[in-house]
Amino acid sequence: DQQVKQNSPSLSVQEGRISILNCDYTNSMFDYFLWYKKYPAEGPTFLISISSIKDKNEDGRFTVFLNKSAKHLSLHIVPSQPGDSAVYFCAASAKGGTSYGKLTFGQGTILTVHP
Amino acid sequence: EPEVTQTPSHQVTQMGQEVILRCVPISNHLYFYWYRQILGQKVEFLVSFYNNEISEKSEIFDDQFSVERPDGSNFTLKIRSTKLEDSAMYFCASSVLAGADTQYFGPGTRLTVL
């Protein structure tokens, strides 16, 4: 199932700089997108989401951009902090039909922020 | 801040045994989910549950699996006869609405089948 793809397995960034995590999707029925952060041996923690009617959503240091024509979204973290080091998952849910909120996840990107 | 809780944090069982994984969703949430993550793989959807019924299930969720909301707070996942390949992290999640709404995840139960 490759409907949601995060092509970069890892990203390394200096503290204070911008982190940009990318996600691509293929299912045009997806209409809600979320980013989760995960530490080892913990559950995914919700970070930020975006509906398909928007192209940008901002919450503090986190901004998600959605390009529907390219079926691409990205998460920007500015400024990056060492505590942001974790695995970041992109997830999507589809509208309508019999879908009741099933989330389809990407493979995750390991972000390392160096002091 | 309300959170989803799961017990146990780690369950070790012998192949063929039954296991029950427990979750307490956030109290005002109406939709409940189970996901799993096999080591090194993606988080995968198993099942969604609403109004005491399964709303949707994946092809992974076969007859060995069942879910139940036995009372007003708990949400359980039962695996009737565990297989080696059931070893994974199992995450419970809940949301107020389905679809365009945020799902909040519990810390997970690590299931090890020997």
Side-chain angles (χ1 to χ4, degrees):
Chain A
D1 179 358
Q2 293 292 310
Q3 294 187 75
V4 178
K5 284 189 281 191
Q6 294 174 255
N7 291 317
S8 298
S10 63
L11 175 67
S12 184
V13 171
Q14 205 67 29
E15 181 179 7
R17 307 295 289 268
I18 184 170
S19 296
I20 300 176
L21 298 111
N22 293 302
C23 179
D24 297 294
Y25 62 96
T26 56
N27 187 344
S28 57
M29 295 298 288
F30 287 148
D31 69 337
Y32 191 67
F33 304 88
L34 308 93
W35 283 95
Y36 287 89
K37 171 178 164 179
K38 187 179 179 303
Y39 295 115
E42 293 186 12
T45 300
F46 170 71
L47 277 176
I48 193 168
S49 62
I50 189 165
S51 164
S52 60
I53 61 173
K54 294 187 171 183
D55 54 21
K56 178 182 172 181
N57 188 26
E58 199 169 345
D59 183 2
R61 296 187 298 116
F62 302 94
T63 303
V64 56
F65 295 92
L66 175 62
N67 182 334
K68 281 185 295 185
S69 60
K71 293 192 174 69
H72 177 84
L73 63 155
S74 61
L75 174 68
H76 292 208
I77 306 173
V78 181
S80 302
Q81 299 171 353
D84 296 330
S85 297
V87 181
Y88 288 77
F89 290 98
C90 166
S93 69
K95 60 190 166 193
T98 58
S99 175
Y100 284 86
K102 165 189 169 181
L103 290 180
T104 301
F105 281 82
Q107 306 94 313
T109 296
I110 301 169
L111 174 65
T112 304
V113 181
H114 298 284
Chain B
E1 185 175 314
E3 56 183 22
V4 177
T5 60
Q6 291 185 244
T7 55
S9 56
H10 190 189
Q11 174 90 48
V12 180
T13 189
Q14 295 290 324
M15 191 169 56
Q17 295 296 303
E18 175 182 287
V19 294
I20 298 176
L21 310 183
R22 290 183 167 80
C23 168
V24 178
I26 295 172
S27 62
N28 65 328
H29 286 189
L30 301 176
Y31 292 84
F32 314 118
Y33 312 85
W34 284 101
Y35 293 81
R36 78 173 185 189
Q37 185 180 28
I38 294 171
L39 188 63
Q41 297 186 23
K42 288 185 179 189
V43 176
E44 303 173 286
F45 169 80
L46 292 177
V47 66
S48 59
F49 190 85
Y50 169 71
N51 200 25
N52 281 320
E53 289 183 345
I54 290 175
S55 307
E56 186 177 5
K57 59 184 181 178
S58 71
E59 55 275 9
I60 303 167
F61 194 89
D62 61 21
D63 292 343
Q64 296 294 323
F65 292 89
S66 63
V67 288
E68 192 179 31
R69 188 154 162 83
D71 53 43
S73 59
N74 288 285
F75 179 50
T76 62
L77 174 69
K78 183 192 290 186
I79 309 175
R80 262 180 273 283
S81 178
T82 49
K83 303 183 255 240
L84 296 175
E85 54 266 36
D86 294 328
S87 294
M89 282 291 288
Y90 287 81
F91 297 107
C92 173
S94 68
S95 63
V96 176
L97 304 172
D101 193 24
T102 300
Q103 292 180 27
Y104 293 91
F105 284 75
T109 293
R110 178 171 297 284
L111 177 64
T112 302
V113 182
L114 302 175

